[in-house]
Amino acid sequence: MSGSCFGFAPVSDLSFEYLRDGDGDALEIGERDGGVDDAGGALVNEWTPIPERRSWARLYEDAGTFRLWIEGSGSFHIDPRIPRVVLPVGLESTVKREERLWGIPALLCFLGRSDHPLHAAAVEVDGETILLAAPGYAGKTTLAAGFAAAGHRVLSEDVSCLRFSSRPMLVPGPAMLRVRRDIASRLEIPGASEVAAGDDRTHYSLDRASRGDCTPVPVRAFVLLRNTEHGIRLERVSPVDSLRELWPLSFRLPTLHDRERCFQGVTALADAVPVWNLYRPLRLDLLGEVVEKIAADV
Amino acid sequence: MIDNDLSLRKNPNTAFRTLAAGEGGVLLHLESGEYYGLNDIGCMIWALIDGERTVTDVVDAIRSEVEDPPTALTDDVNRFIADMRQRDLLLA
């Protein structure tokens, strides 16, 4: 298996749909019975269910290793020090298995590599990354799909991997998009293949020819999506005010050390990258116009 | 009331970062998760607090570094320190 995601190259007998080109750090990926050794560890995070958006999940930590339990999927065992992810057998499909893998398990592995996880989509415009986040949950993936429809590369759909060097960089994630079905039926994404449609989303594997590799892409701007009934407009957010938005979007473990790590990452991002509020009506007929405005003005 | 001769100590469970010129800085209380924006003078005060300097030392240091310092500088520094203490960012 060749290819990469978040800068990791899977070492595994399993098959993958969403990898990009190129190589990366070795990431061992295996499978085992999710019922085995499914106890122990301290609860460090819990995600309560939101209908049609996310499942109930719990994260346990034990001496630097993690166990992620997801309702209906079972337990994932993650050791970021190797790094290695062991998936539960019996997930409903290989695509679903891979989508789970590139969520919290991969996030914990790149966190162990000192990269910064952010709940945001990322698209590429003129060789730079524009991050898209929806604090109110509305429209992040649809807007990323709008960028894909306009011919831009989607770098991440839900979890973004940031790396801080001389300037913030984005390490591309899985080449996938999970678009709301009512949107998918009205939006043409060139080269994308439908690989699943088991829930309220249509799951796309992005065009293989234009996925590119996981070479980090410099971050140009961060856009926070806001709803309004009146027109499309962009407003700059001050670095201090942007922290209020970036902090809850950044994953962190409940330790003083990791809070500090997260704080340094968030402030580095807010300091180096302009943050914008984008106000726009949630209307599909305006999606192309919104994409053009962001690409041109941020 | 703050004793002007008392050494000022930071709560070790805080993180601080200065932002770009003119943007001040940000201070995070690591236990509560609360963060606070500081202006440039606030950043200067925070940097001067080293466990040994007193309020008087901090005021003197700022007065020597800032062009045309405000006449109410001592009161301003006292208010800032009282606020930081109330937020558990400085230890009493």
Side-chain angles (χ1 to χ4, degrees):
Chain A
M1 173 62 57
S2 66
S4 61
C5 180
F6 290 129
F8 289 118
V11 178
S12 179
D13 293 331
L14 303 175
S15 61
F16 299 94
E17 178 65 42
Y18 298 134
L19 297 182
R20 297 178 190 272
D21 298 335
D23 209 351
D25 306 325
L27 174 63
E28 296 179 17
I29 301 166
E31 268 189 324
R32 75 170 175 186
D33 184 345
V36 175
D37 194 21
D38 261 2
L43 180 67
V44 293
N45 214 336
E46 179 165 18
W47 293 267
T48 50
I50 299 175
E52 299 180 350
R53 285 182 183 152
R54 75 178 182 209
S55 307
W56 184 23
R58 284 178 164 175
L59 181 66
Y60 299 87
E61 192 258 342
D62 185 9
T65 66
F66 295 90
R67 179 168 60 87
L68 174 70
W69 170 84
I70 302 176
E71 186 181 27
S73 293
S75 286
F76 299 68
H77 295 259
I78 303 117
D79 189 340
R81 300 167 301 185
I82 295 177
R84 177 173 61 212
V85 178
V86 180
L87 308 162
V89 294
L91 291 174
E92 57 262 53
S93 71
T94 55
V95 165
K96 190 75 172 179
R97 178 181 68 196
E98 188 177 353
E99 290 174 2
R100 293 291 194 204
L101 165 69
W102 299 128
I104 298 295
L107 177 159
L108 290 165
C109 290
F110 70 67
L111 184 62
R113 203 175 51 187
S114 298
D115 291 332
H116 184 91
L118 199 66
H119 184 202
V123 296
E124 186 178 50
V125 176
D126 299 331
E128 294 181 305
T129 298
I130 297 178
L131 291 159
L132 308 169
Y137 277 100
K140 170 167 56 80
T141 306
T142 298
L143 184 54
F147 273 91
H152 297 282
R153 188 161 72 120
V154 174
L155 303 172
S156 285
E157 177 230 42
D158 188 49
V159 172
S160 283
C161 173
L162 292 176
R163 183 170 293 167
F164 297 103
S165 49
S166 56
R167 64 184 287 196
M169 310 287 280
L170 185 285
V171 184
M176 69 176 186
L177 267 177
R178 292 167 290 185
V179 183
R180 269 176 39 194
R181 277 190 178 186
D182 57 321
I183 304 289
S185 63
R186 292 184 286 162
L187 195 65
E188 179 72 24
I189 303 175
S193 314
E194 184 178 327
V195 290
D199 45 25
D200 68 321
R201 303 255 163 177
T202 299
H203 300 230
Y204 290 109
S205 177
L206 297 174
D207 184 15
R208 290 185 182 278
S210 58
R211 285 180 186 183
D213 60 19
C214 281
T215 302
V217 182
V219 179
R220 167 166 134 193
F222 194 105
V223 177
L224 299 161
L225 309 184
R226 312 286 187 190
N227 300 342
T228 181
E229 294 301 312
H230 310 290
I232 303 166
R233 70 180 196 279
L234 283 159
E235 289 178 1
R236 275 292 293 273
V237 182
S238 76
V240 172
D241 287 343
S242 65
L243 294 177
R244 187 177 298 114
E245 310 293 346
L246 296 174
W247 183 252
L249 295 170
S250 295
F251 178 87
R252 59 196 168 273
L253 296 168
T255 63
L256 297 182
H257 175 76
D258 204 52
R259 280 188 189 143
E260 174 152 20
R261 188 267 321 151
C262 182
F263 173 76
Q264 296 299 343
V266 164
T267 49
L269 183 64
D271 200 22
V273 171
V275 177
W276 299 82
N277 276 324
L278 170 77
Y279 297 89
R280 88 289 188 221
L282 272 175
R283 282 172 38 194
L284 193 58
D285 60 311
L286 295 176
L287 188 58
E289 198 178 325
V290 171
V291 167
E292 281 179 22
K293 183 161 186 66
I294 293 171
D297 292 352
V298 305
Chain B
M1 194 66 183
I2 296 166
D3 179 352
N4 284 353
D5 295 323
L6 196 69
S7 295
L8 297 168
R9 289 187 302 136
K10 293 172 182 170
N11 183 334
N13 290 328
T14 53
F16 173 73
R17 186 183 171 102
T18 50
L19 299 172
E23 296 287 354
V26 187
L27 190 53
L28 175 74
H29 193 296
L30 291 169
E31 288 168 322
S32 69
E34 299 281 326
Y35 70 87
Y36 310 92
L38 303 185
N39 62 20
D40 287 341
I41 295 287
C43 292
M44 196 180 287
I45 297 171
W46 188 255
L48 286 165
I49 294 171
D50 60 359
E52 294 183 2
R53 284 192 180 93
T54 63
V55 176
T56 305
D57 294 335
V58 169
V59 170
D60 290 346
I62 292 173
R63 209 181 288 284
S64 67
E65 283 195 32
V66 175
E67 248 180 72
D68 196 19
T71 49
L73 182 62
T74 304
D75 289 344
D76 291 347
V77 171
N78 269 305
R79 257 197 303 276
F80 177 87
I81 287 166
D83 189 39
M84 293 290 107
R85 277 185 172 170
Q86 194 175 5
R87 296 169 189 271
D88 192 36
L89 297 161
L90 287 178
L91 301 177

